[in-house]
Amino acid sequence: MTSSRVVRVGTDDDAVVAGLRAGIERIQAELDVTPDFPDEVEQAAARAAASPRLPDLDRTDLPLVTIDPPGARDLDQALHLERDPDRPGGFVVHYAIADVAAFVTPGDPVDLEAHRRGQTLYGADSKVPLHPPSLSEDAASLLPDQVRPALLWTIRVDETGEGIDVDVRRARVRSTAQLTYEQAQARVEADDAPESLVLLRELGELRLAREAARGGISLPLPEQEVVVDERPGTPWRLEFRSQLPVEQWNAQVSLLTGFGAASLMVYARVGLLRTLPPPDPRDVQRLHRTARALGVEWPAELLYPDFLRTLDPARPEHAALLVASARLLRGSGYVAFDGEVPADPQHSALASEYAHVTAPLRRLADRYAGEVCVALCADEPVPGWVLEALPGLPAEMQRSSQQAGAYERAVVDLVEAGLLAGRVGEEFDGVVASTDGDDDRKGRVTVREVGVEAPLRSDDGPLPLGQDVRVRLTEADVETRVVRFEMA
């Protein structure tokens, strides 16, 4: 199976690239974020990198691999799958997660700075990391052929894809290969694919089926990305890309681990969950009306999660409906607890309790949730420094998530404006992706030819939601990061 990735617009003009980099620096100043760390944090990280706390358990025998985007250095996860020798058709999943606590001591400069940042911010080639690169991209990262401390999850799964046992403990591990998504997909499709990747596909498909059965939701919309390429040609470009199947299978292993972590914490009545409230019934009714307006049949017997799975994002009217359905997934957050399980512990899009534990190099919360699970599996008390921090983590993560969203949106807006600045007045084919609830002459258009989604205005009546349109670029301002189209 091939990716639907298509490169649409790019630049290798040194002046344009310099303007984009300067614009990103302005965004960082506006949001008060920086990729640089104070000297004392860098020095503390360097000392920690030189002397990690390595556990006694040695599992470097496991042929783990990482699967990440090209060029990634902050590698949180490495996996290996095998058949369960005690259960026909079952699986044993080994999932190694970078052990940040092997390097970071509560209250040290790296820890305090991580609490200030909350999570890694991503934008083009200007990442604002949670931890200094000497840790996140080197000593603590699960880079190939390096012995690393890790939290090693061992999850047994039955022949239907249901998890039946979970354990996590500290171990030394060594990844044997760093694969890109494209490389992993090619290996899965090859006749001589290693058993671990063959089983990843088998388990991933089973888990996707279970997700559908329990009423989980995923929106298969192509993602808009800013790509910065070191090769000659168009080193800065925008593109829409859809996930490869291996990315979905890989994500299912991460979700499986998060479900296991949540079950441990809910049973013990202590921990940190990732939550999402059920959608507002008014939003579901609004989605029904949008489907009727778009001419998309919604059978009465289909609940909205099942209906969304029937939509094809390649069809304009379906893509518009998927964009509209994002309203159903608002309000995600975290909830900490110690002694009583929260009243609303579920993540409604996953139809289960769930915890973030698989990205501690990039998210602060994962380090703490992982520590809770390690203690519970060892039948030991949760460390005091974890319990002390738990109550404040939901607010810290909410603040940093808002900042991460603002940073990503601002960088994408900047690159859109920079790459289109010389094309004002040109006409393009697009699709009306959404309309303004208060004024249906305003909305947003997806212009795949240039990899852009931007505001659209009509002076001649309502915008035709979900339909192909011809639009004219009227504004592309790098300083304000504004791109606008009007109906041609």
Side-chain angles (χ1 to χ4, degrees), residues 11 19 32 41 74 246 274 280 287 315 318 370 428 470 478:
T11 184
D32 191 25
V41 177
D74 49 352
V246 73
R274 180 68 165 161
D280 189 320
L287 193 64
R315 297 178 57 179
H318 286 197
F428 305 90
R470 187 73 174 169
V478 176

Side-chain angles (χ1 to χ4, degrees), residues 95-181:
Y95 205 39
I97 305 300
D99 186 0
V100 174
F103 299 88
V104 178
T105 300
D108 75 7
V110 178
D111 178 54
L112 296 177
E113 183 68 10
H115 276 271
R116 191 182 73 80
R117 296 184 177 224
Q119 61 187 287
T120 296
L121 313 184
Y122 291 93
D125 68 341
S126 300
K127 180 169 61 179
V128 179
L130 175 62
H131 303 101
S134 58
L135 292 178
S136 61
E137 299 186 3
D138 192 356
S141 178
L142 303 182
L143 297 167
D145 302 319
Q146 304 295 322
V147 175
R148 293 288 189 254
L151 304 187
L152 182 61
W153 292 81
T154 302
I155 306 172
R156 284 184 158 77
V157 183
D158 69 17
E159 63 280 2
T160 71
E162 178 64 23
I164 55 176
D165 184 65
V166 60
D167 179 73
V168 58
R169 59 190 62 202
R170 285 192 153 84
R172 283 174 283 156
V173 301
R174 178 169 47 215
S175 170
T176 61
Q178 179 178 354
L179 303 179
T180 66
Y181 297 134

Side-chain angles (χ1 to χ4, degrees), residues 250-453:
N250 195 42
Q252 287 297 320
V253 174
S254 180
L255 290 172
L256 174 68
T257 308
F259 294 146
S263 68
L264 291 171
M265 291 189 283
V266 168
Y267 181 79
R269 299 175 181 264
V270 58
L272 181 70
L273 299 178
R274 180 68 165 161
T275 60
L276 180 70
D280 189 320
R282 292 170 298 183
D283 288 334
V284 178
Q285 293 169 0
R286 184 182 292 109
L287 193 64
H288 273 278
R289 293 195 296 270
T290 302
R292 286 197 297 272
L294 289 167
V296 179
E297 183 180 0
W298 186 336
E301 68 274 11
L302 279 187
L303 298 175
Y304 75 88
D306 299 316
F307 171 65
L308 294 180
R309 269 185 286 276
T310 70
L311 301 179
D312 178 2
R315 297 178 57 179
E317 70 277 18
H318 286 197
L321 199 50
L322 286 166
V323 170
S325 68
R327 291 177 60 93
L328 305 178
L329 306 182
R330 297 180 301 180
S332 60
Y334 293 84
V335 60
F337 57 105
D338 183 10
E340 291 294 333
V341 176
D344 298 306
Q346 283 214 342
H347 190 292
S348 66
L350 300 174
S352 176
E353 289 89 13
Y354 176 65
H356 273 162
V357 291
T358 63
L361 293 177
R362 294 170 283 165
R363 273 190 313 246
L364 176 67
D366 298 45
R367 171 163 42 119
Y368 287 87
E371 289 299 317
V372 172
C373 293
V374 168
L376 295 178
C377 287
D379 199 23
E380 296 176 352
V382 176
W385 61 271
V386 174
L387 295 177
E388 183 179 350
L390 280 181
L393 283 170
E396 289 178 287
M397 295 307 299
Q398 182 71 17
R399 173 192 55 77
S400 67
S401 294
Q402 292 171 347
Q403 192 174 58
Y407 185 68
E408 182 178 356
R409 286 192 302 272
V411 171
V412 170
D413 289 346
L414 169 73
V415 177
E416 287 182 340
L419 297 184
L420 292 176
R423 305 184 69 173
V424 172
E426 292 187 30
E427 294 185 2
F428 305 90
D429 292 322
V431 175
V432 179
S434 63
T435 55
D436 191 318
D438 297 321
D439 185 351
D440 57 12
R441 295 172 301 173
K442 297 179 180 179
R444 296 185 70 82
V445 62
T446 299
V447 185
R448 287 188 171 273
E449 180 182 349
V450 290
V452 166
E453 182 183 302

Side-chain angles (χ1 to χ4, degrees), residues 185-207:
Q185 188 69 46
R187 291 197 182 186
V188 168
E189 294 172 353
D191 292 337
D192 60 347
E195 182 190 39
S196 183
L197 292 183
V198 173
L199 295 180
L200 175 62
R201 173 168 55 185
E202 184 179 333
L203 177 59
E205 295 292 354
L206 286 171
R207 293 296 303 175

Side-chain angles (χ1 to χ4, degrees), residues 45-54 102-103 139:
R47 290 192 297 270
S51 56
R53 294 181 281 273
L54 291 173
F103 299 88

